[in-house]
Amino acid sequence: MAEKWQIEGEYFESCNCEVLCPCLLSRAEARPTEGHCDVVMAFHIAKGTYGKVELSGLNAVAALYTPGVMSAGNWTSGLYVDQRASSEQRQALEQIMLGKAGSPLGRFAPLITNRLPTRSVPITFVSEGRVRKLIIPNIADVTVEGIVGIGEQVVFLDHVAHPVARRLAAARGSESHFKDHSLSFTNSGRNGHFAPIKWSGA
């Protein structure tokens, strides 16, 4: 029987497309601006449970590479879970972040051909004003900043075709570097997003 779960928190991402990523306007059926897609997605769980397993305060990160149009598949993906997590918490994070528990990320699963081993690592997730920052030592150093519009307020995009949230902040990577396994991304100056998340399942 599937476990009942819920999480609330925040996510941000950095990709290699020019601002604005065409996937948001095409349900991932447009070709990325560079012909392929390099993405790092970071998640902070402010409050959450998976069955009786407490998840509050934990972080997770997904790194994705797609060789062409995202909806065409053949993705490579790696998952990183918080080193502070117990074995039960790690299993719960994997169930949610790999889409096995019915999370929005389950839409990715049929598109992934090459699933890289999950790594347990120290993850720092910082959210301050319009800045979001991720650090995984020797793997990822990613900072995105929200793009401001009228009144110096961050621009938000509504009703977007994105699995994580329907309302996203428009952002740009001020510094964005990732290197692990066979993947190596430098997305500084490129597209980014952030949003609150509230998911549940079972």
Side-chain angles (χ1 to χ4, degrees), residues 50-173:
Y50 182 88
K52 296 182 179 179
V53 179
E54 181 67 40
L55 300 178
S56 301
L58 296 177
N59 302 309
V61 174
L64 307 170
Y65 164 76
T66 75
V69 175
M70 295 191 82
S71 61
N74 200 26
W75 297 14
T76 296
S77 176
L79 178 66
Y80 300 82
V81 297
D82 204 313
Q83 193 175 63
R84 298 171 299 156
S86 67
S87 59
E88 292 82 6
Q89 289 172 322
R90 172 176 170 156
Q91 291 173 20
L93 288 171
E94 287 185 306
Q95 289 295 307
I96 294 170
M97 294 300 162
L98 296 178
K100 296 179 180 179
S103 78
L105 298 180
R107 292 171 57 185
F108 291 165
L111 303 172
I112 298 171
T113 302
N114 183 20
R115 176 79 69 183
L116 300 171
T118 298
R119 294 199 194 281
S120 179
V121 294
I123 300 172
T124 300
F125 185 113
V126 177
S127 174
E128 295 179 344
R130 64 186 183 92
V131 175
R132 304 294 182 272
K133 185 175 183 66
L134 162 72
I135 299 174
I136 302 176
N138 302 313
I139 295 176
D141 187 350
V142 180
T143 302
V144 303
E145 297 186 29
I147 296 170
V148 297
I150 296 296
E152 295 299 302
Q153 298 297 305
V154 173
V155 174
F156 275 82
L157 310 167
D158 280 308
H159 310 297
V160 293
H162 193 286
V164 172
R166 292 290 177 260
R167 186 172 191 264
L168 301 177
R172 180 179 285 108

